[in-house]
Amino acid sequence: MSYELTIEPLGQTVEIEDGQTILDAALRAGIYLPHACCHGLCATCKVQVVDGEVEHGEVSDFALMDFEREEQKCLACCATAESDLVIEAEIEEDPDARNLPVKDYRCEVTRIEDLTPTIKGIWLRPESGENVEFQAGQYINLELPEDIGHRAFSIANAPSVSGEIELNVRIVLGGKGTTYLHEQLQEGDVLTLSGPYGRFFVKKSAQVPVIFMAGGSGLSSPRSMILDLLDEGFDMPITLVYGQRSQEELYYHNEFLELARRHENFAYVPALSDEPEDSSWEGFRGYVHDAAKEHFGNDFSGNKAYLCGPPRMIDSCISTLMQGRLYERDIYTEKFISAADAQQVRSPLFKSI
């Protein structure tokens, strides 16, 4: 059984299957609804039901209070249709968004490489032969064995690369998903993924210099976006400030050095926070935010900044950028929020993108 879902103020009507969430139906139709945790905990996806009946699903009483249910509000990430629906959502038009529909892909693992002692590169090719269409900076959900569920990973290659996508996966101590991918996944295995997801992409239409600040495997999205910008001939200054603990964890280092040699508008600033003092390293020693502060002379005005990495790194970078005269409207972050993390989400400083 299916119903009709009409989304205002767009006036678009899409099909929603029995048991399918409002959010999933919208995303698969190429319509972006604001969302973050996808666990019914953060309230980012709250919408107004104008007409029709919904089953709310498992949502937090803090994210959707009793009086809001009485006012016919629901959380799109959990609510399913029990009749034809009309909803009203806060949808912001973005001239740089491609609004690609979410699709499912059955993919073969074509290659697995150790990029660092803790990060593996995993390449996936759809069995259908089609390309996974995405916007640089977006991510996919990878379906793992039933006792693990799905996990989100940013796409590390440029959209122009055809045939397969690359994921960079850092092993997390005690993490079922990353442990499986590091220790059990084999070339030739078949996995299902869905995507693309996310609103983390370069605001190209602004035509201003861009700064990427990344740490650890958070390099995935910036790498995709940088390669995409250079492929398209973007002529504004591009700077990547990338941090790791030591040289052995610094991956794609030579690639970025070569890109900086070939492109006058691209600057690469690697930073190591825990490199032995007697090593051969001649680059910056310290954290990403400190490296950026030194490189830009503590003046970030006139740029747009894109941040990817551990929460503590992102928080430090935001503080440094704002102290250096760059403010919320020009700072963009992408944080994957687990069910456990989402319970701590109440009033984020920055709107999820």
Side-chain angles (χ1 to χ4, degrees):
M1 178 183 292
S2 64
Y3 302 103
E4 288 189 343
L5 168 65
T6 302
I7 302 171
E8 299 292 357
L10 300 178
Q12 289 184 245
T13 298
V14 303
E15 188 173 313
I16 180 169
E17 299 292 336
D18 187 32
Q20 183 181 25
T21 67
I22 291 172
L23 178 61
D24 188 63
L27 294 177
R28 289 180 181 276
I31 299 171
Y32 178 79
L33 297 181
H35 62 281
C37 77
C38 294
H39 297 290
L41 296 165
C42 74
T44 304
C45 66
K46 192 176 296 178
V47 297
Q48 178 71 52
V49 179
V50 178
D51 189 38
E53 299 294 328
V54 300
E55 166 58 44
H56 288 285
E58 296 184 8
V59 301
S60 164
D61 290 338
F62 293 100
L64 188 68
M65 297 185 180
D66 289 341
F67 77 87
E68 292 178 308
R69 296 173 191 241
E70 293 173 2
E71 293 173 350
Q72 300 302 305
K73 291 183 171 63
C74 71
L75 300 188
C77 72
C78 294
T80 56
E82 294 191 324
S83 68
D84 290 344
L85 289 177
V86 179
I87 66 166
E88 188 170 12
E90 293 184 10
I91 301 175
E92 298 179 359
E93 293 292 333
D94 190 322
D96 295 294
R98 292 188 60 194
N99 295 321
L100 298 167
V102 169
K103 296 181 180 180
D104 296 318
Y105 301 88
R106 182 177 163 87
C107 299
E108 178 186 357
V109 179
T110 57
R111 187 162 36 124
I112 302 175
E113 291 185 9
D114 290 329
L115 299 177
T116 79
T118 62
I119 299 173
K120 284 188 182 291
I122 299 173
W123 283 260
L124 302 165
R125 177 181 296 131
E127 289 185 327
S128 63
E130 63 182 317
N131 292 330
V132 178
E133 192 174 6
F134 66 97
Q135 192 165 0
Q138 291 189 297
Y139 67 94
I140 56 91
N141 273 330
L142 193 62
E143 294 294 333
L144 300 178
E146 290 183 6
D147 61 330
I148 299 175
H150 70 264
R151 295 292 187 271
F153 295 103
S154 295
I155 304 173
N157 58 279
S160 60
V161 175
S162 62
E164 61 185 11
I165 61 168
E166 176 187 348
L167 309 178
N168 299 158
V169 181
R170 180 178 68 86
I171 191 165
V172 177
L173 184 63
K176 288 184 178 180
T178 60
T179 298
Y180 171 82
L181 292 172
H182 271 249
E183 298 181 0
Q184 298 182 47
L185 189 69
Q186 301 291 324
E187 291 183 5
D189 286 353
V190 175
L191 296 173
T192 297
L193 64 84
S194 61
Y197 295 99
R199 298 287 273 188
F200 189 57
F201 46 79
V202 177
K203 311 297 181 179
K204 297 177 184 178
S205 63
Q207 280 296 297
V208 298
V210 293
I211 306 169
F212 296 96
M213 302 170 76
S217 59
L219 182 63
S220 300
S221 289
R223 178 175 182 256
S224 177
M225 292 189 282
I226 289 166
L227 294 174
D228 183 51
L229 290 172
L230 296 177
D231 281 349
E232 292 187 353
F234 186 79
D235 58 3
M236 301 299 293
I238 305 168
T239 304
L240 168 64
V241 187
Y242 175 52
Q244 276 282 18
R245 293 176 58 83
S246 61
Q247 287 191 67
E248 66 176 358
E249 290 290 342
L250 196 65
Y251 73 108
Y252 285 128
H253 178 63
N254 291 331
E255 175 184 81
F256 288 120
L257 289 174
E258 176 62 18
L259 288 173
R261 187 188 68 80
R262 287 168 37 205
H263 299 274
E264 291 184 0
N265 64 322
F266 175 61
Y268 171 49
V269 183
L272 301 181
S273 62
D274 197 27
E275 177 70 6
E277 292 185 7
D278 59 353
S279 77
S280 62
W281 179 249
E282 297 180 353
F284 187 88
R285 291 173 181 267
Y287 296 103
V288 170
H289 61 283
D290 292 324
K293 183 176 181 178
E294 178 182 279
H295 182 80
F296 284 91
N298 199 32
D299 183 2
F300 302 101
S301 58
N303 289 271
K304 284 189 178 293
Y306 302 85
L307 282 50
C308 288
R312 287 180 63 185
M313 185 217 86
I314 289 179
D315 291 342
S316 296
C317 289
I318 289 173
S319 296
T320 298
L321 290 168
M322 295 184 76
Q323 290 168 12
R325 300 172 58 206
L326 195 69
Y327 302 107
E328 178 181 351
R329 66 179 180 274
D330 293 315
I331 301 174
Y332 305 90
T333 71
E334 177 79 323
K335 293 183 181 180
F336 293 131
I337 303 176
S338 68
D341 294 334
Q343 296 189 52
Q344 302 178 24
V345 177
R346 291 296 179 265
S347 298
L349 177 61
F350 288 87
K351 189 178 294 184
S352 173
I353 58 171

